[in-house]
Amino acid sequence: MKLQSTPWMKGIVTVHIRGGKPEQLVNKALTGGLELSSIRWTSGGLLQFEVSVSDYFKLRAYLKETGCRAHVVRRKGLPFWLVKAEKRLLFTTGIVLFLVIIFLLSSLVWSVEVKGNVKLTEEQIRVVAKQEGLYPLQWSFKLADADVLSKRLVTKLPGTSWIGVERKGTKVVIQVVESTSPDLPELQSPRHLIASADAVVTQIIAERGRPVVKKNAFVRKGQTLISGTIGNETHSQTVVAEGVVRGLVWYQFDIAAPLTQKAKVYTGEKKTKWHLVLGSRALQVSGFGSHEYEQSETIRVEEKTAWRHWTLPIGRLKETVMETEIQERELTEADARSIGLMEAKAAAIDKAGADAVIVDEKVLHEKTDNGKVYMKVVFEVEQSIVTEMPLVQLQGD
């Protein structure tokens, strides 16, 4: 017969019977109401069975009657587990505390991320979310349902059409969808379009207003390109001049390109430090001591503990300190010249605008002296040459 599940709570022992009359012992014990299980003969010729701790003490009377001796070879059940736990009290307490801490930490909201906001500031959204109990280090079980939070946030944040609240492990993401309103046209005053620099016109398209120059014409800075006054002397009116005017503009640069170039390189020497991360705190556990590198760069890689879709606020941080040094590289005159011209071209485009195109370049003067290549360069750039000039209308009384 098999023992019921309740004897495990009281404890179960496995017994070997030596000497006497083992068969009579089993029969008398079963007749007397004792519960024996897993009764069998071992390979060594001993009778073996399992009995609860309480029935084991009742077994003594039957042992005397049959001349048998009992030897306990195995113990299992709650009482024996408690005895072992008591011997390892510190270890057991540590495990329990660790599990409790993990549970508590995973029940906290560690971070709140706001996405999708354009007109509303993140601070405005966080203030309203905090009013609804949604903020870092809040217990997750104290939060209202996601649907309820979403409706409350939409109500308190004007200009939003929908707000989603989603919990991802210990992080809560607030996804904002702002309501759209038609853009009102900007009110503009009548104006001329004038030249922003001395240039030769390569293209002129008057979308509104009257063009006053033609293609290939040379214009001075400030000269009117598209007039905001249309009509004749008898019947005229002012409008907001609009259009596209592009032209060739010249930029001159004095370049001094060094024949040596400095670059940062890694020597291969490094030192690694490991940290235990708990929330926003990090505890160093290895790699103690300072390094002796004159120049270095630190690379940090953080790994968080994850279980299924939960991201726990526990992890590790690897900090690698890489030794660096500055090395000088000798350049040829051609390489230095090329680098100097490239930097000057970038400066010219920066001045002319992102839609500008360098059409030609001319090196007016070049010499090498004191470890540098000196050049005077002129770039011919095609770019937009328009700027606005408001029209001031004088009205009589």
Side-chain angles (χ1 to χ4, degrees), residues 3-4 34 45 55 72 85 100 104 165 177 181 207 214 240 282 293 301 310 318 335 350 356:
L3 290 172
Q4 301 297 321
L34 276 62
D55 283 353
V72 177
V100 170
L104 292 177
V165 178
V177 177
S181 56
E207 298 173 359
K214 295 182 179 179
V240 179
Y293 308 145
V301 179
W310 296 82
K318 182 181 181 182
D335 289 338
D350 185 57

Side-chain angles (χ1 to χ4, degrees), residues 206-344:
E207 298 173 359
R208 195 175 185 189
R210 178 171 53 87
V212 295
V213 297
K214 295 182 179 179
K215 184 178 179 181
N216 297 324
F218 178 80
V219 294
R220 293 286 186 183
K221 181 178 181 180
Q223 182 176 337
T224 301
L225 303 175
I226 300 177
S227 174
T229 303
I230 59 176
N232 51 38
E233 295 181 357
T234 306
H235 300 91
S236 65
Q237 68 177 95
T238 56
V239 297
V240 179
E242 296 179 358
V244 176
V245 184
R246 294 179 65 84
L248 296 177
V249 182
W250 295 268
Y251 294 91
Q252 180 175 300
F253 290 89
D254 291 321
I255 302 171
L259 290 171
T260 59
Q261 187 179 55
K262 294 183 178 181
K264 181 180 73 174
V265 297
Y266 297 104
T267 65
E269 296 294 327
K270 63 181 180 179
K271 182 173 184 178
T272 303
K273 302 179 182 179
W274 286 98
H275 298 75
L276 175 64
V277 178
L278 182 61
S280 59
R281 298 179 179 273
L283 175 65
Q284 186 173 348
V285 295
S286 69
F288 296 98
S290 59
H291 59 79
E292 299 179 353
Y293 308 145
E294 292 185 6
Q295 297 179 343
S296 63
E297 180 179 330
T298 301
I299 301 173
R300 293 179 175 86
V301 179
E302 184 176 353
E303 300 174 356
K304 287 292 184 68
T305 303
W307 182 69
R308 295 187 179 179
H309 63 282
W310 296 82
T311 301
L312 301 178
I314 297 176
R316 63 178 184 173
L317 171 65
K318 182 181 181 182
E319 200 173 71
T320 306
V321 182
M322 311 282 290
E323 183 184 24
T324 62
E325 64 181 17
I326 302 299
Q327 292 184 354
E328 288 191 353
R329 182 168 66 96
E330 296 293 331
L331 301 177
T332 63
E333 291 186 14
D335 289 338
R337 183 178 186 274
S338 177
I339 292 174
L341 287 174
M342 183 173 60
E343 293 176 351

Side-chain angles (χ1 to χ4, degrees), residues 45-62:
L46 300 177
L47 181 66
Q48 175 181 298
F49 57 80
E50 292 182 355
V51 63
S52 66
V53 173
S54 57
D55 283 353
Y56 175 74
F57 292 108
K58 297 177 183 178
L59 189 65
R60 291 179 179 177
Y62 302 106

Side-chain angles (χ1 to χ4, degrees), residues 70-271:
H71 176 66
V72 177
V73 295
R74 191 181 300 114
R75 300 172 178 82
K76 60 182 179 180
L78 182 61
F80 304 110
W81 184 86
L82 292 175
V83 171
K84 289 182 181 179
E86 186 178 1
K87 292 180 180 178
R88 301 180 181 179
L89 181 60
L90 184 61
F91 177 75
T92 306
T93 304
I95 291 178
V96 173
L97 286 177
F98 177 76
L99 294 175
V100 170
I101 290 172
I102 290 294
F103 172 76
L104 292 177
L105 292 177
S106 62
S107 299
L108 283 172
V109 175
W110 283 92
S111 63
V112 178
E113 183 180 354
V114 179
K115 293 182 178 180
N117 58 306
V118 178
K119 300 176 183 177
L120 291 172
T121 65
E122 184 173 327
E123 185 62 27
Q124 288 175 308
I125 298 170
R126 288 185 179 275
V127 168
V128 174
K130 189 172 183 179
Q131 294 173 359
E132 296 300 327
L134 179 52
Y135 53 87
L137 300 183
Q138 168 67 294
W139 295 108
S140 57
F141 54 78
K142 286 188 176 182
L143 296 177
D145 291 339
D147 294 340
V148 176
L149 281 173
S150 299
K151 292 177 182 178
R152 291 177 181 175
L153 292 177
V154 169
T155 303
K156 291 188 175 183
L157 288 169
T160 57
S161 59
W162 178 82
I163 295 179
V165 178
E166 181 184 5
R167 186 180 177 197
K168 297 181 177 179
T170 57
K171 180 173 74 173
V172 175
V173 178
I174 301 176
Q175 183 70 47
V176 180
V177 177
E178 297 178 349
S179 54
T180 57
S181 56
D183 296 331
L184 297 176
E186 182 182 354
L187 297 177
Q188 295 178 324
S189 301
R191 68 187 181 192
H192 291 319
L193 294 183
I194 63 174
S196 60
D198 295 350
V200 173
V201 178
T202 58
Q203 180 186 32
I204 179 165
I205 302 174
E207 298 173 359
R208 195 175 185 189
R210 178 171 53 87
V212 295
V213 297
K214 295 182 179 179
K215 184 178 179 181
N216 297 324
F218 178 80
V219 294
R220 293 286 186 183
K221 181 178 181 180
Q223 182 176 337
T224 301
L225 303 175
I226 300 177
S227 174
T229 303
I230 59 176
N232 51 38
E233 295 181 357
T234 306
H235 300 91
S236 65
Q237 68 177 95
T238 56
V239 297
V240 179
E242 296 179 358
V244 176
V245 184
R246 294 179 65 84
L248 296 177
V249 182
W250 295 268
Y251 294 91
Q252 180 175 300
F253 290 89
D254 291 321
I255 302 171
L259 290 171
T260 59
Q261 187 179 55
K262 294 183 178 181
K264 181 180 73 174
V265 297
Y266 297 104
T267 65
E269 296 294 327
K270 63 181 180 179
K271 182 173 184 178

